[in-house]
Amino acid sequence: MNNNIIEIELNNKKDYKNKFNNNRISEELDRYILNETKSVKLKDRITIEIQPKFELTEDEERDLIKMIRLSYKDDLDELKIYEKLLIQQSIKILILGLIILLVYYLSNNLFFISEFILIIGWLLIWEAADIILFSRTENKIKQTRRKQLIHCNIVFKY
């Protein structure tokens, strides 16, 4: 398990504080950190090295660490909600597909219409499988990235 370092150089407090909420990290910093994780393996640990070009008190350092962790915890919570919605959606689509296939089975004496119903039924079942197998995978990777950042080591280098 490697330890990957994300280096952050701060020129002033505006670099890390959200302009709308001083208890949140800035959108630019958030995007930068997430972008830097793209080359990190999912099982590797991350270290964030913050190099401020100004003096931070211990309280400000603790607040910044809290802000970073809170930001990615909120992201993780949202991704978990999204995953639940994906699962619910795929189950509904799967049930609809199965109902349509049942209609096909009961009405296979109408050639053109029954073939159309068969195609729609299988299409819905495939869509449900696609959501479960592939869309959730992307979401799981995003969740893993947020967990890496929530549990990362954050150090200050002056």
Side-chain angles (χ1 to χ4, degrees):
M1 214 156 68
N2 293 333
N3 196 9
N4 296 277
I5 297 173
I6 298 174
E7 295 179 346
I8 300 172
E9 187 176 296
L10 297 175
N11 294 314
N12 57 53
K13 290 180 184 178
K14 290 180 184 176
D15 287 347
Y16 74 87
K17 287 193 175 190
N18 186 303
K19 66 182 181 180
F20 301 110
N21 184 345
N22 283 336
N23 297 319
R24 298 288 184 174
I25 61 173
S26 68
E27 289 181 31
E28 295 84 17
L29 180 57
D30 179 46
R31 278 195 308 269
Y32 170 74
I33 292 172
L34 285 175
N35 194 45
E36 290 296 305
T37 64
K38 289 181 181 176
S39 62
V40 177
K41 293 178 184 170
L42 294 174
K43 294 192 181 215
D44 287 353
R45 288 203 34 89
I46 295 174
T47 296
I48 296 178
E49 282 186 1
I50 300 173
Q51 302 165 355
K53 301 296 182 189
F54 57 96
E55 199 63 37
L56 284 173
T57 65
E58 283 185 31
D59 286 344
E60 289 173 322
E61 287 179 1
R62 276 194 301 274
D63 288 345
L64 178 53
I65 291 170
K66 243 190 277 184
M67 289 164 53
I68 290 171
R69 295 193 197 292
L70 179 63
S71 178
Y72 296 112
K73 185 195 174 306
D74 290 348
D75 281 356
L76 179 62
D77 292 344
E78 182 181 15
L79 289 168
K80 287 179 179 180
I81 291 168
Y82 179 66
E83 182 177 13
K84 285 180 184 175
L85 291 174
L86 277 177
I87 291 169
Q88 290 172 356
Q89 179 187 16
S90 65
I91 289 171
K92 289 174 186 174
I93 292 172
L94 179 64
I95 290 170
L96 184 60
L98 292 173
I99 290 170
I100 289 175
L101 285 181
L102 182 63
V103 169
Y104 165 77
Y105 177 73
L106 297 175
S107 69
N108 65 8
N109 56 355
L110 305 169
F111 177 71
F112 180 73
I113 295 173
S114 64
E115 293 301 315
F116 180 72
I117 291 171
L118 178 65
I119 292 169
I120 297 297
W122 280 114
L123 184 68
L124 290 173
I125 290 172
W126 173 249
E127 182 63 26
D130 181 55
I131 291 170
I132 290 170
L133 297 174
F134 302 114
S135 296
R136 281 189 55 219
T137 301
E138 180 182 344
N139 192 340
K140 284 290 190 188
I141 290 171
K142 288 180 181 179
Q143 286 184 37
T144 302
R145 292 281 183 228
R146 292 343 182 255
K147 287 176 187 174
Q148 284 176 305
L149 291 168
I150 290 168
H151 301 293
C152 75
N153 187 25
I154 302 174
V155 295
F156 289 85
K157 299 250 179 169
Y158 288 95

Coordinates of all heavy atoms in Angstrom, one line a residue, residues 112-152:
F112 N -46.7 -9.5 -34.6 CA -46.0 -8.3 -34.6 C -46.0 -7.6 -33.2 O -44.9 -7.2 -32.7 CB -46.6 -7.3 -35.7 CG -45.8 -6.0 -35.7 CD1 -44.6 -5.9 -36.2 CD2 -46.4 -4.9 -35.2 CE1 -43.9 -4.7 -36.3 CE2 -45.7 -3.6 -35.2 CZ -44.5 -3.6 -35.7
I113 N -47.1 -7.6 -32.6 CA -47.2 -6.9 -31.3 C -46.5 -7.7 -30.2 O -45.8 -7.1 -29.4 CB -48.7 -6.7 -30.9 CG1 -49.4 -5.8 -31.9 CG2 -48.8 -6.2 -29.5 CD1 -50.9 -5.6 -31.7
S114 N -46.6 -9.0 -30.3 CA -45.9 -9.8 -29.3 C -44.4 -9.7 -29.4 O -43.6 -9.6 -28.4 CB -46.3 -11.2 -29.3 OG -46.0 -11.8 -30.5
E115 N -43.8 -9.6 -30.6 CA -42.4 -9.4 -30.8 C -41.9 -8.0 -30.3 O -40.9 -7.9 -29.7 CB -42.0 -9.6 -32.3 CG -42.2 -10.9 -32.8 CD -41.4 -12.0 -32.1 OE1 -40.2 -11.8 -31.8 OE2 -42.0 -13.1 -31.8
F116 N -42.7 -7.0 -30.5 CA -42.5 -5.7 -30.0 C -42.4 -5.7 -28.5 O -41.5 -5.1 -27.9 CB -43.5 -4.7 -30.6 CG -43.3 -3.3 -30.1 CD1 -42.2 -2.5 -30.6 CD2 -44.1 -2.7 -29.2 CE1 -42.0 -1.2 -30.2 CE2 -44.0 -1.4 -28.8 CZ -42.9 -0.7 -29.3
I117 N -43.4 -6.3 -27.9 CA -43.5 -6.4 -26.4 C -42.2 -7.2 -25.9 O -41.7 -6.8 -24.9 CB -44.8 -7.1 -26.0 CG1 -46.0 -6.2 -26.3 CG2 -44.8 -7.5 -24.5 CD1 -47.3 -6.9 -26.1
L118 N -41.8 -8.3 -26.6 CA -40.7 -9.0 -26.2 C -39.4 -8.1 -26.2 O -38.6 -8.2 -25.2 CB -40.5 -10.2 -27.1 CG -39.2 -11.1 -26.8 CD1 -39.4 -11.8 -25.5 CD2 -39.1 -12.1 -27.9
I119 N -39.2 -7.4 -27.2 CA -38.1 -6.5 -27.3 C -38.1 -5.4 -26.2 O -37.0 -5.2 -25.5 CB -38.0 -5.8 -28.7 CG1 -37.7 -6.8 -29.8 CG2 -37.0 -4.7 -28.7 CD1 -37.9 -6.4 -31.2
I120 N -39.2 -4.8 -25.9 CA -39.3 -3.8 -24.9 C -39.0 -4.4 -23.5 O -38.3 -3.9 -22.7 CB -40.7 -3.1 -24.9 CG1 -41.0 -2.4 -26.2 CG2 -40.9 -2.2 -23.7 CD1 -40.0 -1.3 -26.4
G121 N -39.6 -5.6 -23.3 CA -39.3 -6.3 -22.0 C -37.8 -6.6 -21.8 O -37.3 -6.3 -20.7
W122 N -37.2 -7.1 -22.8 CA -35.7 -7.4 -22.6 C -34.9 -6.1 -22.5 O -33.9 -6.1 -21.8 CB -35.2 -8.3 -23.7 CG -35.6 -9.7 -23.5 CD1 -36.4 -10.5 -24.2 CD2 -35.1 -10.6 -22.4 NE1 -36.5 -11.8 -23.7 CE2 -35.7 -11.8 -22.6 CE3 -34.2 -10.4 -21.4 CZ2 -35.5 -12.9 -21.7 CZ3 -34.0 -11.4 -20.5 CH2 -34.6 -12.7 -20.7
L123 N -35.3 -5.1 -23.2 CA -34.6 -3.8 -23.2 C -34.7 -3.2 -21.7 O -33.7 -2.8 -21.2 CB -35.3 -2.8 -24.1 CG -34.6 -1.5 -24.3 CD1 -33.2 -1.6 -24.9 CD2 -35.4 -0.5 -25.1
L124 N -35.8 -3.3 -21.1 CA -36.0 -2.8 -19.7 C -35.1 -3.7 -18.8 O -34.5 -3.1 -17.8 CB -37.4 -2.8 -19.3 CG -38.3 -1.8 -20.0 CD1 -39.7 -1.9 -19.6 CD2 -37.8 -0.4 -19.6
I125 N -35.1 -5.0 -19.0 CA -34.3 -5.8 -18.1 C -32.8 -5.5 -18.3 O -32.0 -5.4 -17.3 CB -34.6 -7.3 -18.4 CG1 -36.0 -7.7 -17.9 CG2 -33.5 -8.2 -17.7 CD1 -36.5 -9.0 -18.2
W126 N -32.4 -5.3 -19.5 CA -31.0 -4.9 -19.8 C -30.6 -3.6 -19.1 O -29.6 -3.4 -18.5 CB -30.7 -4.9 -21.3 CG -29.3 -4.4 -21.5 CD1 -28.9 -3.2 -22.0 CD2 -28.1 -5.0 -21.1 NE1 -27.6 -3.0 -22.0 CE2 -27.0 -4.1 -21.4 CE3 -27.8 -6.2 -20.5 CZ2 -25.7 -4.4 -21.2 CZ3 -26.4 -6.5 -20.2 CH2 -25.4 -5.6 -20.6
E127 N -31.6 -2.6 -19.2 CA -31.3 -1.3 -18.6 C -31.1 -1.5 -17.1 O -30.3 -0.8 -16.5 CB -32.5 -0.4 -18.9 CG -32.3 1.0 -18.3 CD -31.2 1.8 -18.9 OE1 -30.7 1.5 -20.0 OE2 -30.6 2.7 -18.2
A128 N -32.0 -2.3 -16.4 CA -31.8 -2.5 -15.0 C -30.5 -3.1 -14.7 O -29.8 -2.8 -13.7 CB -33.0 -3.4 -14.5
A129 N -30.1 -4.1 -15.5 CA -28.8 -4.8 -15.3 C -27.6 -3.8 -15.5 O -26.6 -3.8 -14.8 CB -28.6 -6.0 -16.3
D130 N -27.8 -2.9 -16.5 CA -26.7 -1.9 -16.8 C -26.6 -1.0 -15.6 O -25.4 -0.6 -15.2 CB -27.1 -1.1 -18.0 CG -26.1 0.0 -18.4 OD1 -24.9 -0.4 -18.5 OD2 -26.5 1.2 -18.5
I131 N -27.7 -0.5 -15.0 CA -27.6 0.3 -13.8 C -26.9 -0.4 -12.7 O -26.0 0.2 -12.0 CB -29.0 0.8 -13.4 CG1 -29.6 1.8 -14.5 CG2 -29.0 1.5 -12.0 CD1 -31.0 2.1 -14.3
I132 N -27.3 -1.6 -12.4 CA -26.7 -2.4 -11.3 C -25.3 -2.7 -11.5 O -24.5 -2.5 -10.6 CB -27.6 -3.7 -11.0 CG1 -28.9 -3.3 -10.5 CG2 -26.8 -4.6 -10.1 CD1 -29.9 -4.5 -10.4
L133 N -24.9 -3.1 -12.7 CA -23.5 -3.5 -13.0 C -22.6 -2.4 -13.2 O -21.4 -2.5 -12.8 CB -23.5 -4.5 -14.1 CG -24.3 -5.8 -13.9 CD1 -24.3 -6.6 -15.2 CD2 -23.7 -6.6 -12.7
F134 N -23.0 -1.4 -14.0 CA -22.0 -0.4 -14.4 C -22.2 1.0 -13.8 O -21.2 1.6 -13.3 CB -22.1 -0.2 -15.9 CG -21.9 -1.5 -16.7 CD1 -22.9 -2.2 -17.4 CD2 -20.6 -2.2 -16.6 CE1 -22.7 -3.4 -18.0 CE2 -20.4 -3.4 -17.2 CZ -21.4 -4.0 -17.9
S135 N -23.3 1.5 -13.6 CA -23.5 2.8 -13.1 C -23.1 2.8 -11.6 O -22.5 3.8 -11.1 CB -25.0 3.3 -13.2 OG -25.3 3.5 -14.6
R136 N -23.4 1.8 -10.9 CA -23.1 1.7 -9.5 C -21.6 1.6 -9.3 O -21.0 2.1 -8.3 CB -23.7 0.5 -8.8 CG -25.2 0.7 -8.5 CD -25.8 -0.3 -7.7 NE -25.1 -0.6 -6.4 CZ -24.9 -1.8 -5.9 NH1 -25.4 -2.9 -6.5 NH2 -24.3 -2.0 -4.8
T137 N -20.9 1.0 -10.3 CA -19.4 0.9 -10.2 C -18.8 2.3 -10.1 O -17.9 2.5 -9.3 CB -18.9 0.1 -11.3 OG1 -19.5 -1.2 -11.3 CG2 -17.4 -0.1 -11.2
E138 N -19.2 3.2 -11.0 CA -18.7 4.5 -11.0 C -18.9 5.2 -9.7 O -18.1 5.9 -9.1 CB -19.3 5.3 -12.2 CG -18.8 6.7 -12.3 CD -19.5 7.5 -13.4 OE1 -20.1 6.8 -14.3 OE2 -19.4 8.7 -13.4
N139 N -20.1 5.0 -9.2 CA -20.5 5.6 -7.9 C -19.6 5.1 -6.8 O -19.2 5.8 -5.9 CB -22.0 5.4 -7.6 CG -22.5 6.3 -6.5 OD1 -21.7 6.7 -5.7 ND2 -23.8 6.4 -6.4
K140 N -19.4 3.8 -6.8 CA -18.6 3.1 -5.7 C -17.1 3.7 -5.8 O -16.5 3.9 -4.7 CB -18.5 1.6 -5.9 CG -19.8 0.9 -5.5 CD -19.9 1.0 -4.0 CE -21.1 0.1 -3.5 NZ -21.4 0.2 -2.1
I141 N -16.6 3.9 -7.0 CA -15.3 4.5 -7.1 C -15.2 5.9 -6.4 O -14.3 6.3 -5.7 CB -14.8 4.6 -8.5 CG1 -14.5 3.1 -9.0 CG2 -13.5 5.4 -8.7 CD1 -14.3 3.0 -10.5
K142 N -16.3 6.7 -6.7 CA -16.3 8.0 -6.1 C -16.5 8.0 -4.6 O -15.8 8.7 -3.9 CB -17.6 8.8 -6.7 CG -17.4 9.2 -8.1 CD -18.6 10.0 -8.6 CE -18.4 10.4 -10.1 NZ -19.6 11.1 -10.6
Q143 N -17.2 7.0 -4.1 CA -17.3 6.8 -2.7 C -16.0 6.4 -2.0 O -15.6 7.0 -1.0 CB -18.4 5.7 -2.3 CG -19.8 6.2 -2.6 CD -20.8 5.1 -2.2 OE1 -20.6 4.4 -1.2 NE2 -21.9 5.0 -2.9
T144 N -15.3 5.5 -2.7 CA -14.0 5.1 -2.2 C -13.0 6.3 -2.2 O -12.2 6.5 -1.2 CB -13.4 4.0 -3.1 OG1 -14.3 2.9 -3.1 CG2 -12.0 3.5 -2.6
R145 N -13.0 7.2 -3.2 CA -12.2 8.4 -3.2 C -12.5 9.3 -2.0 O -11.6 9.8 -1.4 CB -12.4 9.1 -4.5 CG -11.9 8.5 -5.7 CD -10.4 8.6 -5.8 NE -9.9 8.0 -7.0 CZ -8.9 7.1 -7.1 NH1 -8.2 6.8 -6.0 NH2 -8.6 6.6 -8.3
R146 N -13.8 9.5 -1.8 CA -14.2 10.3 -0.6 C -13.7 9.7 0.7 O -13.2 10.4 1.6 CB -15.7 10.6 -0.6 CG -16.3 11.4 -1.7 CD -15.4 12.2 -2.5 NE -16.1 13.0 -3.5 CZ -16.1 12.7 -4.8 NH1 -15.6 11.7 -5.3 NH2 -16.7 13.6 -5.7
K147 N -13.8 8.4 0.8 CA -13.4 7.7 2.1 C -11.9 7.9 2.2 O -11.4 8.1 3.3 CB -13.7 6.3 2.0 CG -15.2 6.0 2.2 CD -15.5 4.5 2.1 CE -17.0 4.3 2.1 NZ -17.4 2.9 1.9
Q148 N -11.1 7.8 1.1 CA -9.7 8.0 1.2 C -9.4 9.4 1.7 O -8.4 9.6 2.5 CB -9.0 7.9 -0.2 CG -8.9 6.4 -0.7 CD -8.3 6.4 -2.1 OE1 -8.9 7.0 -3.0 NE2 -7.2 5.7 -2.3
L149 N -10.1 10.4 1.2 CA -9.9 11.8 1.7 C -10.3 12.1 3.1 O -9.7 12.8 3.8 CB -10.5 12.7 0.7 CG -9.8 12.8 -0.7 CD1 -10.7 13.5 -1.7 CD2 -8.4 13.4 -0.6
I150 N -11.4 11.4 3.5 CA -11.9 11.6 4.9 C -10.8 11.0 5.9 O -10.6 11.6 6.9 CB -13.2 10.9 5.1 CG1 -14.3 11.6 4.3 CG2 -13.6 10.8 6.6 CD1 -15.7 10.8 4.2
H151 N -10.2 9.9 5.5 CA -9.3 9.3 6.4 C -7.8 9.6 6.1 O -6.9 8.9 6.6 CB -9.5 7.8 6.4 CG -10.9 7.4 6.8 ND1 -11.4 7.6 8.1 CD2 -11.9 6.9 6.1 CE1 -12.6 7.2 8.1 NE2 -13.0 6.8 7.0
C152 N -7.5 10.5 5.2 CA -6.2 10.8 4.8 C -5.4 11.5 6.0 O -6.0 12.1 6.9 CB -6.1 11.7 3.6 SG -6.6 13.4 3.8

